[in-house]
Amino acid sequence: MNKILYFDNHSTTPCDPRVVEAMVPYLSEVYGNAASSSHQFGWDAREAVEQARIQIAALIGAQEKEIIFTSGATESNNLAIKGVANYFARNKGKVGHIITPVTEHKAVLDSCHALERDGWEVTWLEVDKDGLISLESLKDALREDTAVVSVMYANNEIGVIQPIAQIGAIVKAFRTEHKTGTLFHCDAVQALGRVPIDVRASNIDLLSISGHKMYGPKGIGALFVRRGRPRIRLEALIDGGGHERGMRSGTLPVHQIVGLGKAAELAKEDVDTGAIEKVRALRNRLWDGLKANLDELYINGSWEHRLPNNLNVSFAYVEGEAMMMAIKTIACSSGSACTSASLEPSYVLRALGVDVELAHTSIRFGLGRFNTEEEVDWAINLIVGKVLQLRDMSPLYEMVKAGIDLKSIEWDAH
Ligand SMILES: *Cc1c(COP(=O)(O)O)cnc(C)c1O
């Protein structure tokens, strides 16, 4: 195969050609400002924006008035968490408390860290070896001054799906019983178009959406903000013309919004028609093919509670970066993040208790709408060959194969 295979769909996805096609007229012919209410150009733009709002709302079981456009999920997460917290602080004249798991996306973690610097208290929920939070520790962590609980739908590294409906029910029951304003925010970026999502059934108050993780354009996202009682009040991060119900000012990028709307429609189709099962079958084919030909493979995170497109696996005795180089013709991600000084294992894998050595050998594959069986078979062949080659050069693997228990060895510290 003389191209690079794209198995990194958790990082970003290609824009679906149908999305591109829908966007193009809004870059040229329909160029009005959606806020211009005095002429046809503005009305046409406005209509396209409202159509997209309907498409996005339909994907998550919301009403179109509940969709606020942003520049992406990083902004949506910031707006949800800081917006709720800052309104709370201004309204009550004091800071409060936030709950979030340690395995969240950086956009959530860093928003919480920023609030910590302002005096907010954050309860960082641990996860078990499967990557799941404990509902009991969530219940224990809730306080009268908890402004927001932020838990992602599915993790971007290990694809693990949290018990979202149960979390929503717990937060709502707490809020009702203790008459607090505690809200549930969910970063659903990775789950959209992969699993059915219903904000009402799951009692989600705020939900973050990104275009480019679901075959839409980059630089556009949305935040679902539930309407109705108890009323959600957010302090805007960006002030200006009072667009988006005052929550997010700025001229609406109509072409991007049209693209996000189309992407949402197609994402809903993937889930409703079962087309996503084809992606699951490809993911399973990849795993089965690797498992059949290699030993010492370890899945990271729950297999049962996992996105259909995710495979995160440690190839013991094969260093992740060496492996990435060896399989350059497959675009995927390693479980290590290059920081300036050192090669750190992923904080998500560490939170699961994955051994540092093993974390360094992990690779994340993200399958997608445009992958094929032929590509998967070609990938299996390449990966198996390279892993066998690399392990041939590993003295540790040789020792394990010779029946030596590595843990029993006293290594010389020098
Ligand atoms: C990619 C991603 C984000 C950030 O989305 P952008 O639209 O790129 O800002 C947030 N959360 C998760 C889980 C993601 O995977």
Side-chain angles (χ1 to χ4, degrees):
M1 211 163 281
N2 56 358
K3 63 170 183 182
I4 300 179
L5 304 186
Y6 192 71
F7 283 12
D8 200 17
N9 284 278
H10 297 294
S11 290
T12 192
T13 52
C15 217
D16 191 293
R18 292 165 289 183
V19 169
V20 177
E21 192 188 357
M23 289 172 69
V24 168
Y26 294 91
L27 284 159
S28 49
E29 297 144 43
V30 192
Y31 50 77
N33 186 324
S36 300
S37 53
S38 56
H39 52 67
Q40 190 68 42
F41 295 89
W43 302 334
D44 289 347
R46 173 108 224 150
E47 193 183 313
V49 167
E50 294 319 312
Q51 174 60 26
R53 239 188 265 282
I54 292 170
Q55 289 165 311
I56 296 157
L59 176 62
I60 58 171
Q63 298 159 16
E64 58 266 30
K65 282 187 183 149
E66 299 176 309
I67 305 299
I68 305 295
F69 291 111
T70 65
S71 62
T74 297
E75 186 187 332
S76 300
N77 287 342
N78 272 264
L79 177 58
I81 295 168
K82 293 179 185 167
V84 165
N86 291 340
Y87 184 85
F88 176 105
R90 185 182 297 278
N91 185 245
K92 297 215 187 318
K94 58 172 193 198
V95 293
H97 172 241
I98 297 170
I99 302 173
T100 197
V102 294
T103 47
E104 290 293 303
H105 189 271
K106 287 286 182 191
V108 165
L109 297 181
D110 289 348
S111 293
C112 293
H113 283 305
L115 289 166
E116 256 182 345
R117 290 194 291 274
D118 291 343
W120 282 75
E121 272 187 67
V122 179
T123 298
W124 304 98
L125 294 177
E126 299 293 332
V127 296
D128 64 14
K129 65 175 182 10
D130 285 333
L132 294 162
I133 66 160
S134 139
L135 297 175
E136 283 311 310
S137 42
L138 167 62
K139 282 183 199 159
D140 290 345
L142 283 162
R143 306 188 335 200
E144 304 250 319
D145 66 343
T146 306
V148 60
V149 174
S150 183
V151 181
M152 70 201 323
Y153 214 110
N155 186 272
N156 45 297
E157 287 189 33
I158 52 179
V160 168
I161 300 172
Q162 298 290 349
I164 292 300
Q166 283 153 285
I167 295 166
I170 288 169
V171 173
K172 187 179 180 182
F174 179 85
R175 175 169 75 212
T176 312
E177 187 187 338
H178 297 269
K179 299 192 172 54
T180 69
T182 312
L183 299 172
F184 176 30
H185 166 250
C186 179
D187 173 347
V189 168
Q190 295 289 339
L192 290 157
R194 280 93 194 186
V195 293
I197 294 181
D198 185 329
V199 290
R200 296 271 177 269
S202 297
N203 289 298
I204 296 168
D205 297 304
L206 301 134
L207 179 137
S208 298
I209 298 170
S210 173
H212 74 99
K213 304 288 177 75
M214 53 175 201
Y215 312 98
K218 293 171 180 60
I220 186 72
L223 181 66
F224 156 78
V225 182
R226 177 184 53 69
R227 306 242 304 175
R229 308 202 72 80
R231 180 152 174 228
I232 299 178
R233 304 288 296 268
L234 296 181
E235 193 163 285
L237 300 176
I238 297 175
D239 300 309
H243 306 77
E244 301 298 276
R245 292 162 51 206
M247 288 188 237
R248 208 289 188 174
S249 290
T251 302
L252 293 177
V254 179
H255 62 295
Q256 301 284 77
I257 289 171
V258 166
L260 180 60
K262 186 68 188 177
E265 181 192 306
L266 299 174
K268 185 168 171 14
E269 252 173 53
D270 272 357
V271 174
D272 289 354
T273 65
I276 190 66
E277 292 309 315
K278 282 199 287 198
V279 180
R280 185 193 305 278
L282 291 178
R283 190 275 313 269
N284 291 351
R285 187 182 183 92
L286 177 59
W287 176 227
D288 291 343
L290 295 175
K291 231 176 12 180
N293 293 290
L294 296 168
D295 59 2
E296 297 285 340
L297 301 184
Y298 302 92
I299 291 274
N300 296 307
S302 166
W303 181 256
E304 189 191 348
H305 304 282
R306 179 182 290 260
L307 291 175
N309 60 332
N310 176 280
L311 180 64
N312 189 311
V313 56
S314 294
F315 296 84
Y317 312 108
V318 178
E319 208 275 311
E321 291 302 305
M323 170 84 161
M324 297 286 290
M325 288 307 290
I327 59 167
K328 277 200 301 289
T329 46
I330 305 171
C332 52
S333 292
S334 87
S336 314
C338 242
T339 60
S340 51
S342 64
L343 203 59
E344 291 282 334
S346 131
Y347 67 91
V348 173
L349 297 182
R350 293 294 290 140
L352 267 58
V354 176
D355 171 83
V356 182
E357 291 299 320
L358 209 51
H360 277 307
T361 73
S362 72
I363 304 271
R364 175 189 72 181
F365 299 101
L367 278 295
R369 190 183 280 164
F370 302 110
N371 292 123
T372 64
E373 267 186 16
E374 191 196 6
E375 287 181 345
V376 168
D377 292 345
W378 189 87
I380 292 167
N381 203 33
L382 179 75
I383 297 166
V384 167
K386 294 295 182 187
V387 169
L388 291 176
Q389 241 175 43
L390 289 166
R391 280 182 177 170
D392 255 354
M393 302 186 291
S394 157
L396 288 182
Y397 184 69
E398 231 169 79
M399 289 163 81
V400 169
K401 288 292 104 180
I404 299 168
D405 178 7
L406 293 183
K407 292 202 176 67
S408 73
I409 299 173
E410 285 184 32
W411 300 98
D412 190 338
H414 297 285

